[in-house]
Structure formats: C-alpha cells, structure tokens
Amino acid sequence: MPLLENGHVTEDRWVQATAGEALPAGAVIVPLDRLEEGLARPKDAPLGVAIGPDVDVAVLRAALPRLALVAVTFPTFRDGRAFTQARALREHLSFTGEIRATGTPLPDQYEFLLRCGVTTVQTDRAEDVAVWQQAHEIISIAYQPSVLHERAQGLGLRRFLGK
C-alpha cells in the first residue's frame, strides 16, 4: 500500500535498510539493532528507526534529537502497543518528527492513530486507499484528549446519530 499522510497518498522518500548490506545514502530507516550504525552517518543524512511493539520507546531518548522518523509496528490489528508507543513519543519524549505506523492496522483505526501522534501509515493490508481516506473523513468523534490538542466531544455521538 502507498504511504498515507492526513488521509492522502504521499511520496515516500525513505528507504528501508536491508539486512547484511551497507546503509544506503539518503533517508534510511534502520532496525533498532542497527541504530548505532545509523547514528554514525553524517548528521545531515536523514535517519529513521523501526521498532517492534515490545520496545520501550525510552531506549530512544538519547537518539531522538538525531531521528527524523520512528516507525512503530502493528504485527496484528489487535495489538495496540504501537498506539502507546506513538503517544509516549509525543507526550513523554517530546518527539516532533514523523511517526509511521507499519504492519497491519485497520482503516477503522486511522483516526485513533492520528490522535496518538502517528503522522503516516504504511500498511501491509490490501485495502484500497479510498477506504483509508473515507475512514479519515467519517470518523470524527472522540471521547478523550489527543496529542492533537483537540477538545474531546463527549456527547458528539448523540448529535452524530441524530438523537
């Protein structure tokens, strides 16, 4: 699936590092076990890191000023740890770069991803991009605050249902 940002397809300038090969020039996403190698690159070379759902994002604290992207992983749509990772990156570690959701999140989860601080989504699922765009436009009711600093709408569901 193409890369989505704010409900629209966007260009992906990032390249995934390949195991056993030298890091390519330009914007590269390295796995956590190759982060030190990535940090050794020139400071003007864009660097991202991909983390698994079992990683405590606090281990990235020292590297965050150098990182332009953190990719969080949804191994299954039922595994919500990446929501927590994204929110912790934004709220507790003040990360301002791109947070990319990868793996298998559902289109129904798109607004929740954005509310937790995810900026881009690249899923292994095969849905049409239009499904993701539609989910972004349709789901607008929230019951709790988000990293987007929006006001929770509480009784908005009654208005939505026309009651």
Side-chain angles (χ1 to χ4, degrees):
M1 178 176 155
L3 185 66
L4 288 177
E5 181 174 12
N6 202 27
H8 302 286
V9 176
T10 187
E11 180 86 23
D12 188 1
R13 68 184 183 110
W14 294 89
V15 175
Q16 292 279 343
T18 306
E21 293 184 15
L23 295 181
V28 64
I29 301 171
V30 298
L32 184 59
D33 62 355
R34 292 184 71 182
L35 181 57
E36 290 301 319
E37 181 183 354
L39 291 170
R41 293 170 16 127
K43 294 214 185 295
D44 63 343
L47 179 63
V49 65
I51 60 173
D54 58 337
V55 172
D56 179 357
V57 294
V59 302
L60 300 175
R61 185 181 309 273
L64 284 178
R66 177 74 170 75
L67 295 175
L69 177 147
V70 176
V72 296
T73 306
F74 287 83
T76 70
F77 71 89
R78 291 181 298 263
D79 188 336
R81 293 176 287 178
F83 287 109
T84 304
Q85 289 172 320
R87 191 138 189 176
L89 283 164
R90 293 283 188 233
E91 291 184 344
H92 302 296
L93 299 174
S94 301
F95 181 64
T96 59
E98 178 180 341
I99 298 177
R100 178 177 294 190
T102 63
T104 57
L106 295 174
D108 294 356
Q109 297 170 322
Y110 192 31
E111 281 302 304
F112 302 114
L113 290 166
L114 298 176
R115 293 180 61 76
C116 287
V118 169
T119 48
T120 57
V121 176
Q122 188 169 38
T123 180
D124 298 336
R125 299 177 55 86
E127 288 96 4
D128 182 359
V129 172
V131 174
W132 287 82
Q133 292 168 330
Q134 192 174 35
H136 180 55
E137 294 167 4
I138 290 175
I139 302 171
S140 63
I141 296 171
Y143 292 97
Q144 62 193 67
S146 78
V147 299
L148 301 174
H149 305 292
E150 298 170 325
R151 192 175 74 88
Q153 296 175 353
L155 298 176
L157 184 58
R158 286 189 179 162
R159 285 190 304 256
F160 180 73
L161 295 174
K163 295 181 180 184

